[in-house]
Amino acid sequence: MGNTKPIGVAYSDQDISGSDLILSSGQLGYTTAAQGTVTQATSKSTAVTLNKSAGQITMNGAALAGNTAVSFTLNNNLISANDILILAIGAGAVADPTAYTVYVSNLSSGAAVITLRNLTATSRSEALVINFALIHCA
């Protein structure tokens, strides 16, 4: 069925062909207003709060032993239990950019547990920056 309803007129039952697709030949992402930053205060396991759809978490520079993981909670009132949180190490792993991995180990309404693992055999004391973006799944 094609689009038969006029654009610009509000109908409660709009069916627009292609409304389930997002296509772009340029950038796709969040505006500056949807992004934020937060820094861990006392250790790599200290919880942080950032109520934004995307942003950067600067981790505390405390030591993380070799072959060890540490977890912390990101409190964020935009997260729902069905969402997907994308993570990437954005900065801080200067000596060896392959020394760490970061992943979401648990996600619930209002919070996500993020785990950072030191993949090397040596202790590292770097204040890593973790970039994140939230994909909301209703």
Side-chain angles (χ1 to χ4, degrees):
M1 175 178 197
N3 294 334
T4 58
K5 298 174 185 163
I7 299 297
V9 177
Y11 290 95
S12 62
D13 64 345
Q14 280 192 2
D15 290 322
I16 300 174
S17 295
S19 65
D20 57 342
L21 301 175
I22 299 174
L23 302 173
S24 174
S25 61
Q27 287 185 331
L28 178 65
Y30 292 103
T31 65
T32 302
Q35 301 174 46
T37 60
V38 65
T39 301
Q40 281 183 319
T42 56
S43 73
K44 280 185 166 45
S45 62
T46 301
V48 297
T49 300
L50 183 57
N51 296 316
K52 296 286 187 172
S53 296
Q56 294 184 314
I57 302 163
T58 301
M59 296 190 72
N60 186 276
L64 180 59
N67 298 312
T68 302
V70 64
S71 296
F72 68 94
T73 300
L74 167 63
N75 295 300
N76 183 323
N77 63 8
L78 300 175
I79 296 174
S80 72
N82 296 330
D83 292 349
I84 298 168
L85 188 63
I86 299 171
L87 304 173
I89 297 172
V94 178
D96 183 357
T98 64
Y100 301 96
T101 188
V102 64
Y103 54 92
V104 176
S105 49
N106 191 12
L107 189 129
S108 60
S109 182
V113 176
I114 297 172
T115 300
L116 174 77
R117 182 167 186 79
N118 177 352
L119 300 173
T120 71
T122 59
S123 179
R124 298 189 170 273
S125 300
E126 297 169 304
L128 299 173
V129 176
I130 298 173
N131 296 338
F132 76 89
L134 182 63
I135 298 177
H136 185 66
C137 302

